Amino acid sequence: MIEVFPNPHPDRTYLVESVAPEFTCLCPRTGQPDFATIRVRYAPGKSCFELKSFKLFLGSFRNEGHFHEDVTNRILAELVAAVDPVWMEVRGEFHVRGGIATTVTVRHGTLPAALAGVEPAVWPGPS
Amino acid sequence: MIEVFPNPHPDRTYLVESVAPEFTCLCPRTGQPDFATIRVRYAPGKSCFELKSFKLFLGSFRNEGHFHEDVTNRILAELVAAVDPVWMEVRGEFHVRGGIATTVTVRHGTLPAALAGVEPAVWPGPS
Amino acid sequence: MIEVFPNPHPDRTYLVESVAPEFTCLCPRTGQPDFATIRVRYAPGKSCFELKSFKLFLGSFRNEGHFHEDVTNRILAELVAAVDPVWMEVRGEFHVRGGIATTVTVRHGTLPAALAGVEPAVWPGPS
Amino acid sequence: MIEVFPNPHPDRTYLVESVAPEFTCLCPRTGQPDFATIRVRYAPGKSCFELKSFKLFLGSFRNEGHFHEDVTNRILAELVAAVDPVWMEVRGEFHVRGGIATTVTVRHGTLPAALAGVEPAVWPGPS
Amino acid sequence: MIEVFPNPHPDRTYLVESVAPEFTCLCPRTGQPDFATIRVRYAPGKSCFELKSFKLFLGSFRNEGHFHEDVTNRILAELVAAVDPVWMEVRGEFHVRGGIATTVTVRHGTLPAALAGVEPAVWPGPS
Amino acid sequence: MIEVFPNPHPDRTYLVESVAPEFTCLCPRTGQPDFATIRVRYAPGKSCFELKSFKLFLGSFRNEGHFHEDVTNRILAELVAAVDPVWMEVRGEFHVRGGIATTVTVRHGTLPAALAGVEPAVWPGPS
Amino acid sequence: MIEVFPNPHPDRTYLVESVAPEFTCLCPRTGQPDFATIRVRYAPGKSCFELKSFKLFLGSFRNEGHFHEDVTNRILAELVAAVDPVWMEVRGEFHVRGGIATTVTVRHGTLPAALAGVEPAVWPGPS
Amino acid sequence: MIEVFPNPHPDRTYLVESVAPEFTCLCPRTGQPDFATIRVRYAPGKSCFELKSFKLFLGSFRNEGHFHEDVTNRILAELVAAVDPVWMEVRGEFHVRGGIATTVTVRHGTLPAALAGVEPAVWPGPS
Amino acid sequence: MIEVFPNPHPDRTYLVESVAPEFTCLCPRTGQPDFATIRVRYAPGKSCFELKSFKLFLGSFRNEGHFHEDVTNRILAELVAAVDPVWMEVRGEFHVRGGIATTVTVRHGTLPAALAGVEPAVWPGPS
Amino acid sequence: MIEVFPNPHPDRTYLVESVAPEFTCLCPRTGQPDFATIRVRYAPGKSCFELKSFKLFLGSFRNEGHFHEDVTNRILAELVAAVDPVWMEVRGEFHVRGGIATTVTVRHGTLPAALAGVEPAVWPGPS
């Protein structure tokens, strides 16, 4: 489902960060909607994922039931399977339910030393 | 009382953070209500705790008398007994009483190196 | 004067922080009131101090004359004598007098490595 | 239940504001806890309400089921019955439930012109 | 679909504000998800709307296609039909699409003079 | 070029605000790019403008030369011609050129009294 | 020196605001540089001033000696002479000299009622 | 296309940072405009790039289709080819598309130890 | 001139910080007043300085001419001579003169490891 | 041109920071004014530079044409030639030109270990 394309600059060390504040799925117990901001950061290896297919991939969870811990891991797992990155972090910041807010952060691989200290994207930017 | 479920991704290194600003119990001396924000962060081992049961677990203290230091440790102890995490921190930020505010922070286990520098959840998020 | 109780979880490594913005004593020279916020942070050993008696202890300085450096050290000294902590910090943030504000920070013992990086309480919290 | 005392300065036009961020009652449908900040502002007539009894009055809702609109009106109604103010506003700012936050603001009487523009208390202050 | 209940205090002048940042429907042209914060403010007449049914009502748009202007008006129209308020405002703050963010604000009836100047809810509150 | 559709609720008094921070055209003197945020607020009459065509309409200036004062007025004029609103305001906030930033605000018609005090959209919203 | 061009939309009521934070001239007493932000807001009549010539006009003061009050009035006077606006305001916000910062605001004509409440430009915008 | 000039101080260790918030190109799939802030930081070797030609270089992408990852790398690649820096970072902060914002950060070479800790430019400055 | 008293707790490791935003002396060239905030931080050895005499000491510069670099060093030198601290820092933050603000920071001795990370007092703003 | 005076405390390790937000020179290509904030930080060796002559030195660039990279290096070079510091940093933060803001940071020598962590001056201060 996630389209990939060959890393156009495999000789470069770089970081891609995509922030998606419009993630929604269903609670597997009550069927009621859950909402989250999903943040993906990765250092590409041989492939990159295409952004429109990433959006559709996130949208595919819209009417499915998923636990927070599981769905965040699954997003990472499917992205890792698709692009085999040097390093990747997926963070799901879920909205309050029952007075409790939950954030899940999963990491894969090793951050290249040359990318140490790259600041996370400040969301939102000018638009 | 705390329901657990098998860690759906035991091969992954990840962090779960749940923030509950609606904790209330009673002062064991005066019987008057106490209020706190409880923050739990953990790296799951074989199990995760289920969020609704966690909410009910926190709610079970509502009409019981507890000292701040003790109740924060007990929340950690029961969560540790339930899920046996790789690392866990429980923080109880208690409201002002008698002009004094008290915060108790308890830790268990060792934070995996791969999770160093994960930022704490910013509460509240967009909802 | 400071009541203590046995550390209910001596096997745990944890930090207690109490913030008291209503400390007042007298200037030993002029007899005029001084005001300060007192912040205590400690990693308990065998004992904890009880919060109501801590409040009364702080209140006992109300009509006594004390120098800033001395009273901050004395608060630490009496708390250390009472609970023999693994680590303790007492900070007295005194209000402006004669156009000068003075803060005194005293430390005792060694902070356990497992507590490195615990953030100080953000005062004020939700109440 | 609400204790009152004679307005000590009935010849003065003044405003009293009490902010209680620790209000909790139960949802009448689910039995689960609800939380709110209650803000009362009033221009006293012949009587004022006593603050400790006000705290206990708010605490009396702790284990009762109440709808947001109703309980905010009832707090106003009981306070009005007790002190017959020149003007009173009660505002209940309820925490998020199901992704929706609700605030109810009830007013009684006429704000004296001399009090127009008094700014609401900024909570929290230094303690 | 919107459940109502009799205004429990029809003799009082009051304002109810509900803020729902988790509204989502579909774009009627592309079928892609749209997101918005819906804010409802109203002075009840004979009836109030029940909050859980309001949540379900908002959720019913989840998989339907709607234009921003129309859906905001329709939410107002259905709420007005259900509760016949003295005054109501519905505001839909839609997320950026194609680099453009759109907000629609609809009003019905006349705000009672006694409610002039009630501040909008500050979202988010403590949870 | 601007597509319109019949106001779906011509009996309602409402305000639509669209904020477009990605407007760009060329300087008519130097041919170099200019940038602006365009804000449109209007109370619809018989018609509304369709948002995608509005985006394309703004995009049509991309490679044309225009003075700030003129282009802001022209956007208003074309929108007015298309939808004949009860009231409309167009604001062009142009980026710094030569150390000077210029903002042009044009208004047409009369704001309905019922819409007085509607707050401008806060850009950016949650996404 | 100030180039003008015919108001391209003399039938419209609109406001132009130009903010120039790079104004500098000399102190007439010491010959040392002074610095200021100049803000011009005007409702055009038959003419508008051209922005590049306005920049050069402001730059022409660079090596001349001027008092704050005088130079702000002179900028207004020359702009009024050039474009004969319906309303104009010039504001000079001068940097600290000798520990004192001075701001001079001059107005000419009558602000059209339709432009009441237009918010001043927020400087700086996205660039 | 990028003009260079000999580093005027090749014996010095220094950092040049240029921030360009007005970058725009086209989406290679839809032809619709994309927008970004481009930040370049570099430690010059034998050459520096001239700022006006850098502006024109960025402007040359205006009507070309480019993927985010590729265009950020290409900007770096062309700048590296032109000036052969000791160290360079190019960061492209792209605006939201489909509810997702993407930032790409590419690095080349090794930051001289003497420049460790130089703070990034705070944009925008006073103008 | 600076009164000292024996460190009341020489066995303790602690930090004293005094912030004096009301320092004034004269410019040695023009005779005009200069203003600064003086911040002193030190770890006491055998003695502490008394705060009233410190205030008078600072006040003694009022009608004397002093260069910024020199007076900051002299304050440190006299305090060091008086109390022989383990570590001391004096910082003079001088107000703008001729459009230039100057800050001088002098250090003496070695900060004890146990005091690493003590946060500077937040005294509101630079003065 | 830069006057120096013997370091009055050559035995001390200290840092001097001067912030000049009113720097202006001309663009060597267009002759139009450029503006910048110049920040100088240095640890004096045998000499200090006198502030009035530093101001005049900066003012001497007012009507000269200079490239950003060059002029920042030249300011450093002349200051280094004049005072031979242990360590010096000059930072030129240039205002936006053509939609691009450029900052140049040059360093010379080695920062003494005892000055590590001295915070940069926060500009602007109270005047």
Side-chain angles (χ1 to χ4, degrees), chain B residues 56-77:
Chain B
L56 295 174
F57 168 61
L58 290 184
S60 73
F61 294 89
R62 187 174 179 87
N63 292 315
E64 298 177 9
H66 291 284
F67 288 103
H68 296 356
E69 293 88 348
D70 187 37
V71 75
T72 309
N73 271 286
R74 285 178 59 175
I75 291 170
L76 178 112

Side-chain angles (χ1 to χ4, degrees), chain D residues 8-103:
Chain D
H9 299 273
D11 53 320
R12 294 279 175 211
T13 301
Y14 65 102
L15 196 74
V16 183
E17 176 163 8
S18 291
V19 183
E22 297 179 349
F23 181 80
T24 180
C25 60
L26 302 178
C27 173
R29 302 216 158 183
T30 63
Q32 286 303 304
D34 277 334
F35 289 79
T37 294
I38 301 295
R39 298 176 190 271
V40 177
R41 308 179 81 205
Y42 74 110
K46 292 202 180 138
S47 309
C48 295
F49 59 81
E50 193 272 332
L51 287 169
K52 175 115 191 234
S53 75
F54 174 59
K55 172 189 152 184
L56 295 174
F57 167 61
L58 290 183
S60 72
F61 294 89
R62 186 175 180 87
N63 291 315
E64 298 177 10
H66 291 284
F67 288 103
H68 297 356
E69 294 88 348
D70 187 35
V71 75
T72 311
N73 270 285
R74 284 179 61 176
I75 291 169
L76 177 113
E78 296 215 27
L79 290 172
V80 164
V83 303
D84 191 16
V86 176
W87 178 81
M88 181 176 280
E89 179 189 280
V90 175
R91 185 176 169 105
E93 301 170 351
F94 290 85
H95 290 205
V96 183
R97 284 297 173 268
I100 298 174
T102 295
T103 296

Side-chain angles (χ1 to χ4, degrees), chain F residues 21-94:
Chain F
E22 297 179 351
F23 181 80
T24 179
C25 60
L26 302 179
C27 173
R29 303 216 158 184
T30 63
Q32 287 302 304
D34 277 333
F35 289 81
T37 294
I38 301 294
R39 299 175 190 270
V40 177
R41 309 180 82 203
Y42 75 110
K46 291 202 180 140
S47 308
C48 297
F49 59 81
E50 194 272 333
L51 288 168
K52 176 118 192 232
S53 75
F54 173 59
K55 173 189 152 185
L56 295 174
F57 168 61
L58 291 183
S60 71
F61 295 89
R62 186 174 181 88
N63 292 316
E64 298 178 10
H66 291 284
F67 288 103
H68 297 355
E69 294 86 349
D70 187 35
V71 76
T72 311
N73 270 285
R74 284 178 61 175
I75 291 170
L76 178 113
E78 295 214 28
L79 290 172
V80 163
V83 303
D84 191 16
V86 177
W87 178 81
M88 181 178 280
E89 179 188 279
V90 175
R91 184 175 170 106
E93 302 170 352
F94 291 84

Side-chain angles (χ1 to χ4, degrees), chain G residues 21-26 32-35 52 55-56 59 61-63 95-97 99-100 127, chain J residues 21-26 32-35 52 55-56 59 61-63 95-97 99 126-127:
Chain G
E22 297 179 350
F23 180 81
T24 180
C25 60
L26 302 179
Q32 287 302 304
D34 277 334
F35 289 80
K52 177 119 192 228
K55 173 189 152 185
L56 295 174
F61 295 90
R62 186 173 180 89
N63 292 316
H95 291 206
V96 182
R97 282 300 171 267
I100 298 175
S127 84
Chain J
E22 298 179 348
F23 180 81
T24 179
C25 61
L26 302 179
Q32 287 302 304
D34 277 334
F35 288 80
K52 177 119 190 229
K55 172 188 153 184
L56 295 174
F61 295 90
R62 186 175 180 87
N63 293 315
H95 290 206
V96 183
R97 283 300 172 266
S127 80

Side-chain angles (χ1 to χ4, degrees), chain G residues 44-55:
Chain G
K46 292 201 181 141
S47 309
C48 297
F49 59 81
E50 194 272 332
L51 287 168
K52 177 119 192 228
S53 76
F54 173 59
K55 173 189 152 185

